[in-house]
Amino acid sequence: MPHKSRPHCAVSRCPNYAVIGSAYCVEHRRERTRRDPSYRKLYNRKWEKISKLYLSKNPLCAECERNGRLTPATETYHVKPLSAGGTHAESNLMGLCKSCHSKLHGSDLA
């Protein structure tokens, strides 16, 4: 019986094959799993509670609503990033669907 071919790394234009059980090659897998140590201090159980509470109060995606669509919010976004001095205050949060959250983070990185 023929074997299923291994998929390529999920990073665009990477010619390497993904590690079994992962979407990334060895090099990119290491990059994706490495996080700033301060990340755990900022995004902990307290943040999870804040995020869940915010999403229960604001169940619709703010970006989709702005465009006339009603989509459930699944992620909480910081308008002003914590790394830029933002806080977990409700005035600095926005409920987004996964798609809009990815788009906003993509525009931040570009």
Side-chain angles (χ1 to χ4, degrees), residues 71-90:
T71 310
T74 56
E75 302 184 18
T76 309
Y77 176 75
H78 288 93
V79 177
K80 182 177 182 181
L82 297 176
S83 59
T87 66
H88 291 321
E90 200 167 309

Side-chain angles (χ1 to χ4, degrees), residues 15-82:
N16 301 324
Y17 288 104
V19 174
I20 295 172
S22 174
Y24 302 101
C25 66
V26 174
E27 179 184 339
H28 291 115
R29 185 176 184 199
R30 225 178 280 127
E31 285 177 18
R32 301 284 175 172
T33 57
R34 202 176 307 140
R35 290 224 180 215
D36 182 13
S38 64
Y39 179 86
R40 287 189 180 163
K41 290 180 184 173
L42 300 173
Y43 295 98
N44 51 25
R45 287 187 187 184
K46 183 179 177 184
W47 162 245
E48 287 177 24
K49 286 181 182 179
I50 293 168
S51 177
K52 284 181 183 178
L53 180 63
Y54 184 83
L55 290 176
S56 70
K57 290 180 182 178
N58 304 282
L60 297 176
C61 173
E63 285 295 308
C64 288
E65 260 189 309
R66 201 174 290 151
N67 295 317
R69 295 186 310 266
L70 297 177
T71 310
T74 56
E75 302 184 18
T76 309
Y77 176 75
H78 288 93
V79 177
K80 182 177 182 181
L82 297 176

